Amino acid sequence: MTAAHRVDVIVIGGGIVGLATAWKIQQRRPGVSVAVLEKEPGVAQHQTGHNSGVIHSGIYYEPGSLKATLCKRGAQETKDFATAHGIPFRTTGKLLVATDETEHGRMLALHERALVNGLDVRLVDAAELRRAEPHIRGLGAIEVSTTGIIDYARVCETLAALVVAAGGEVVTGTTVTDVHEAATEVVVDTEAGIWRAERLVACAGLQADRIAAMAGIDVDVRIIPFRGEYYSLPPYRADLVARLIYPIPDPALPFLGVHLSPTIDGGITVGPNAVLGFSREDYRKGAVKVRDVLDYARYPGMWRVARANVRTGIHEMKNSLFKRGYLAECQKYCPELQLSDLLPREAGIRAQAVRRDGTLVHDFLLERTPRSIHVLNAPSPAATSALPIGQTLAEGLLP
Ligand SMILES: Cc1cc2nc3c(=O)[nH]c(=O)nc-3n(C[C@H](O)[C@H](O)[C@H](O)COP(=O)(O)OP(=O)(O)OC[C@H]3O[C@@H](n4cnc5c(N)ncnc54)[C@H](O)[C@@H]3O)c2cc1C
């Protein structure tokens, strides 16, 4: 006999989006009972605990998109939240460095977009770049002064504690196995019993499409896992850069390119790249989960993405297999880095929604039913944007 539980709202997923949503629901409607169901033994075990820890400013995103508006709001809210709750963060600023003429052209276009998005950015020439960051070379850069760094797992621990303090539950070690939405309630089966609620929000990251399918929603997207492989610099390189150093991204791709990121614990990470993953949640190099591969191998959208990105895919795969290629990406803007500087570090895996027609979904994507909202695409900068995403979901669920 399994236990049955009843709450007002169930949130699936104890990553930063799920936890921020639960907390925002409690703030919107004090007294509403909320349970966050998380399959892992702790919170923030997937994307949220395997990212670059950057508080993005919102420079890259299509003006008017959810990403552009929620990232800008989220960056400030994240810093305010961290200040209020004693979570360490630093506003380091960031330089997006152009290393050749093509990137220089893209840099100018990106600068224009940043101005349209209302961001505090400025162009820096090669000489100023060199003065600011003596180990970095480029034709010029965009300086974004508001970008910062934080540990998002730490943010999640605080959010989970706030949810519990406000009378909610964060139930870890509880895998959702089925979802049924009826006219009067939502019923969620888990390996540890049945949960019933008035409303549901699903923030399941790498499993978002599967949770939506369980709920019987016919969504036009599939989650494709893209590994982001990192290295760490050795402690004697800890002063290599003061700011975050990013390449100028290719606007056709949703990933930002291998960057140098100071971390809040005093290190510097290099990465991440973006290679097709063969498992959604196994972080070991070479890990394969047959179900995960079959899921996308049978999906027409995947083949269309593959065809459209053959060259980039091969390039990324080669750099994943051969450290020298990966190093060459970083040497474009930091020539003195050596192979021996790249120390192993655990990878992250991005949940990237892809449509049946092969389009990569760039913006955050939500799907609504009468009693539920499913977050189907919450890639970077969703950690930065989690508090306003949570607010949006709370307002959508409890108008
Ligand atoms: C390599 C990498 C670098 C990134 N860098 C940045 C950055 O610097 N700044 C930034 O803003 N963003 C960054 N991002 C993006 C950011 O990490 C994600 O957008 C964000 O963490 C998404 O949060 P989430 O809560 O939606 O997903 P997740 O953190 O993946 O959480 C989803 C949760 O749902 C749970 N779940 C799934 N299925 C079930 C089930 N059946 N039952 C119960 N629980 C379930 C999972 O266990 C998981 O804990 C990066 C991402 C990656 C991968």
Side-chain angles (χ1 to χ4, degrees):
M1 184 74 180
T2 49
H5 309 264
R6 174 140 214 130
V7 288
D8 295 319
V9 182
I10 291 170
V11 177
I12 300 176
I16 196 164
V17 176
L19 290 165
T21 303
W23 186 58
K24 290 287 186 175
I25 287 170
Q26 290 174 318
Q27 293 204 312
R28 184 164 173 78
R29 292 284 160 81
V32 158
S33 57
V34 181
V36 179
L37 306 182
E38 167 54 53
K39 67 179 161 55
E40 302 296 342
V43 298
Q45 308 262 306
H46 289 295
Q47 295 176 93
T48 304
H50 290 88
N51 63 29
S52 303
V54 177
I55 306 174
H56 285 293
S57 301
I59 179 167
Y60 304 101
Y61 316 115
E62 182 81 25
S65 62
L66 282 175
K67 274 190 178 178
T69 46
L70 299 183
C71 181
K72 192 171 169 205
R73 264 170 60 196
Q76 190 54 51
E77 241 192 275
T78 301
K79 291 177 188 175
D80 294 345
F81 181 86
T83 306
H85 297 285
I87 302 169
F89 73 96
R90 232 165 7 106
T91 303
T92 53
K94 146 169 156 177
L95 289 164
L96 288 119
V97 180
T99 57
D100 60 30
E101 286 304 330
T102 312
E103 289 183 2
H104 196 263
R106 283 182 190 156
M107 178 185 85
L108 298 177
L110 195 56
H111 179 246
E112 286 303 311
R113 175 176 276 196
L115 293 177
V116 175
N117 281 337
L119 297 172
D120 183 14
V121 291
R122 133 187 125 82
L123 289 173
V124 167
D125 66 18
E128 191 179 349
L129 172 63
R130 205 169 175 144
R131 278 198 301 279
E133 292 288 353
H135 304 282
I136 301 300
R137 297 287 173 274
L139 303 182
I142 304 175
E143 186 187 42
V144 194
S145 55
T146 52
T147 307
I149 52 174
I150 197 164
D151 177 355
Y152 285 111
R154 180 87 191 266
V155 175
C156 282
E157 282 158 22
T158 301
L159 281 167
L162 288 169
V163 168
V164 171
E169 296 170 77
V170 178
V171 190
T172 53
T174 299
T175 303
V176 171
T177 52
D178 205 359
V179 177
H180 175 67
E181 184 169 330
T184 51
E185 63 173 359
V186 185
V187 183
V188 173
D189 287 357
T190 77
E191 286 174 350
I194 295 172
W195 288 75
R196 296 172 184 278
E198 295 289 312
R199 314 246 164 228
L200 171 94
V201 192
C203 310
L206 286 148
Q207 308 293 337
D209 53 345
R210 291 178 179 158
I211 297 286
M214 280 177 199
I217 304 170
D218 182 20
V219 290
D220 175 41
V221 291
R222 189 66 51 91
I223 296 295
I224 308 289
F226 281 95
R227 283 173 67 82
E229 294 163 334
Y230 288 99
Y231 292 98
S232 291
L233 294 187
Y236 70 86
R237 289 285 200 189
D239 295 326
L240 187 73
V241 290
R243 299 163 186 75
L244 294 145
I245 307 295
Y246 276 63
I248 302 290
D250 180 343
L253 300 173
F255 309 121
L256 303 181
V258 170
H259 43 265
L260 296 176
S261 312
T263 56
I264 201 68
D265 59 6
I268 295 185
T269 62
V270 187
N273 61 358
V275 279
L276 181 63
F278 301 119
S279 169
R280 292 196 189 194
E281 293 185 344
D282 188 337
Y283 296 89
R284 291 167 302 169
K285 201 164 181 132
V288 178
K289 187 163 181 196
V290 174
R291 179 188 175 197
D292 293 346
V293 175
L294 282 180
D295 251 16
Y296 64 68
R298 294 186 187 127
Y299 186 61
M302 177 62 210
W303 293 103
R304 295 189 175 114
V305 171
R307 268 198 300 277
N309 296 283
V310 174
R311 278 186 48 202
T312 314
I314 292 173
H315 179 76
E316 290 286 315
M317 193 64 89
K318 228 169 65 194
N319 289 350
S320 162
L321 293 173
F322 304 105
K323 206 167 156 184
R324 202 169 283 284
Y326 196 108
L327 177 69
E329 295 292 313
C330 318
Q331 283 177 328
K332 284 186 195 163
Y333 52 79
C334 187
E336 72 190 67
L337 275 180
Q338 299 300 318
L339 270 185
S340 56
D341 290 325
L342 301 184
L343 307 179
R345 184 184 178 93
E346 192 168 54
I349 304 177
R350 305 173 182 84
Q352 175 60 52
V354 174
R355 292 193 192 282
R356 187 166 282 276
D357 68 4
T359 325
L360 296 170
V361 181
H362 288 271
D363 209 358
F364 303 142
L365 180 67
L366 312 176
E367 179 84 21
R368 303 191 56 130
T369 68
R371 294 191 166 271
S372 313
I373 305 182
H374 289 253
V375 178
L376 292 175
N377 196 48
S380 187
T384 307
S385 320
L387 291 166
I389 292 177
Q391 179 72 30
T392 306
L393 292 170
E395 287 166 7
L397 204 67
L398 304 169

